[in-house]
Amino acid sequence: GAGVSQSPSNKVTEKGKDVELRCDPISGHTALYWYRQSLGQGLEFLIYFQGNSAPDKSGLPSDRFSAERTGGSVSTLTIQRTQQEDSAVYLCASSLLGTSGGTGELFFGEGSRLTVL
Amino acid sequence: KNQVEQSPQSLIILEGKNCTLQCNYTVSPFSNLRWYKQDTGRGPVSLTIMTFSENTKSNGRYTATLDADTKQSSLHITASQLSDSASYICVVKNQAGTALIFGKGTTLSVSS
C-alpha cells in the first residue's frame, strides 16, 4: 500500500476484554515495529519484527500483550484481559531496512486509539 | 542509561517567527539521530535523519544541527506557519542494538 495502515482507528472496550489491533505495513518493508503512546508521554517500544528473525519482544509490558506477523507482512497486536492502564494510542511503523541495517527510516501509521473503560 | 531529553516541553510562538527546539542525549555508542513531526491525532512523520558525520541537515524551513561531541541536537524552524503546530520528537539510535530511544517531544503551538 501507499502507507502504513492501522485498524481500527478507535477502539473502546470494557476492562477484561481482549482486543486485536492490526497493522498493514508498506509493501516490501521487512521491518515492523509496535509502539505505545500514552497521553503526554513519549513513544514506548513494544515489539520489533525483522524479516524471518525471531522478534524482539523486550518492550512488551506484560504477558497479556502478544504480537504476530504472518507471512512477513500484516501484524496483529493482541492485548488480553485489558486493563484501564492499557488505554493509549498504539502506533505501528515499518521500514525498508531494520534499524540495524543503516538509517532504517520509519514510516508510521496513524495509530489505533484504545480506550479501556 | 540511554536517554533523550527535549526542551522546552512546550512552546508558543507567533506566526512568522523562528524557533529552536533542543535535544540532549546520553545514548552511546551513537548511530544516528532523527527528528519527527507528529500532528495531533496522527502518526509521526520523519523530518531529518543525521549520522555521526553530519553537522547540519535541512528540510525546507526545518534545519537540524548535530554536535556529536556534546551530544546535542537542535531543530530550527524558520518563518513559522500555523501548520507547524505539532509535537516534535527527537529519536536516537545506538549502534549496540535495534532500539530507538524516543524523547517525550516538544509541543509547538503557532498562533496568528
Side-chain angles (χ1 to χ4, degrees):
Chain A
V4 177
S5 178
Q6 291 189 246
S7 61
S9 56
N10 280 285
K11 176 71 176 180
V12 179
T13 189
E14 293 179 346
K15 178 182 174 181
K17 300 287 188 182
D18 298 350
V19 296
E20 286 189 350
L21 308 177
R22 175 188 167 105
C23 173
D24 200 341
I26 293 173
S27 178
H29 280 194
T30 60
L32 185 146
Y33 312 75
W34 282 99
Y35 292 92
R36 179 168 70 175
Q37 188 174 35
S38 302
L39 189 63
Q41 299 298 312
L43 273 70
E44 175 189 2
F45 167 75
L46 296 177
I47 189 169
Y48 162 61
F49 296 90
Q50 171 58 50
N52 295 321
S53 302
D56 177 355
K57 303 180 181 180
S58 60
L60 294 179
S62 77
D63 58 7
R64 295 187 296 105
F65 288 73
S66 63
E68 62 177 21
R69 187 179 186 191
T70 55
S73 181
V74 173
S75 177
T76 302
L77 177 69
T78 301
I79 308 173
Q80 295 179 311
R81 305 180 302 281
T82 53
Q83 303 295 313
Q84 289 184 330
E85 60 262 29
D86 299 334
S87 296
V89 175
Y90 290 81
L91 288 161
C92 175
S94 71
S95 70
L96 185 58
L97 296 172
T99 49
S100 59
T103 56
E105 181 175 353
L106 296 185
F107 294 84
F108 283 86
E110 303 287 47
S112 292
R113 180 176 298 278
L114 174 65
T115 303
V116 182
L117 301 177
Chain B
K1 182 178 179 182
N2 289 324
Q3 287 186 312
V4 176
E5 301 287 341
Q6 292 188 244
S7 63
Q9 184 176 0
S10 62
L11 181 63
I12 301 173
I13 62 173
L14 290 175
E15 186 179 13
K17 298 295 185 182
N18 304 335
C19 67
T20 300
L21 314 180
Q22 299 292 343
C23 174
N24 296 336
Y25 60 93
T26 59
V27 178
S28 182
F30 171 86
S31 177
N32 60 65
L33 183 146
R34 307 142 185 246
W35 282 95
Y36 286 86
K37 178 186 179 189
Q38 185 176 23
D39 293 317
T40 301
R42 309 294 296 274
V45 175
S46 178
L47 294 176
T48 64
I49 298 177
M50 301 176 71
T51 59
F52 183 89
S53 60
E54 296 175 294
N55 301 117
T56 184
K57 188 171 253 189
S58 292
N59 178 358
R61 294 178 297 102
Y62 301 100
T63 299
T65 65
L66 173 64
D67 186 333
D69 292 330
T70 61
K71 297 186 178 179
Q72 296 179 325
S73 176
S74 66
L75 180 69
H76 186 74
I77 305 175
T78 305
S80 62
Q81 300 177 357
L82 296 178
S83 59
D84 293 332
S85 296
S87 178
Y88 291 85
I89 304 170
C90 177
V91 186
V92 179
K93 178 187 180 302
N94 68 14
Q95 294 182 5
T98 60
L100 295 171
I101 299 97
F102 285 76
K104 292 186 176 181
T106 293
T107 300
L108 174 65
S109 298
V110 180
S111 60
S112 57

